Amino acid sequence: MACTCHIDVDRRLGIVTLYDSVDAKQLLRALGDLYQHSAWRLGFRALWDATGVSQLLIDLDDLALIVRRSEDMRPLIGSGRSAIVVPRETDYVIAKLLIQRVPSAQRERMAFRRLEDAQAWLLDDDTEAD
């Protein structure tokens, strides 16, 4: 799988690192790996780092699957912030589309081109505590 998942409990941060070629099946598995992880807690922040992705293989049907899976997992995801880091233009557009299509009144989500910008935005929010 072109993905790793790590939970930093002290920083209340889940980190998914995607690399190489990533398809919808791998993204769906990564959603579960992060939000069903035994250390994940409601209110944690999520960093989706796709800076190492060489190819994102997702079409419109795949987007619909990812949206449905995200909606199904909403009770596990909870409030907080999620950042997606996608330096490639095409992937940035897909990330923005996903953010737009997945409704969330509880969770702020942003797409970034630089990892440093995403980390600063995520860690700037210290108001989420359960």
Side-chain angles (χ1 to χ4, degrees), residues 17-37:
T17 305
L18 304 164
Y19 49 89
D20 298 333
S21 182
V22 176
D23 62 17
K25 183 178 177 182
Q26 291 165 324
L27 275 179
L28 291 169
R29 187 176 308 149
L31 279 168
D33 288 350
L34 178 61
Y35 299 122
Q36 294 174 327
H37 192 286

Side-chain angles (χ1 to χ4, degrees), residues 26-86:
Q26 291 165 324
L27 275 179
L28 291 169
R29 187 176 308 149
L31 279 168
D33 288 350
L34 178 61
Y35 299 122
Q36 294 174 327
H37 192 286
S38 62
W40 176 262
R41 299 290 178 265
L42 295 176
F44 276 21
R45 299 164 187 92
L47 174 62
W48 292 80
D49 177 2
T51 57
V53 171
S54 59
Q55 191 174 22
L56 188 58
L57 304 169
I58 295 180
D59 62 25
L60 289 176
D61 291 334
D62 295 331
L63 279 175
L65 286 172
I66 295 165
V67 167
R68 276 197 304 276
R69 174 75 172 180
S70 298
E71 289 173 345
D72 291 344
M73 297 189 85
R74 193 177 315 165
L76 297 173
I77 297 170
S79 62
R81 286 184 169 183
S82 294
I84 306 169
V85 183
V86 281

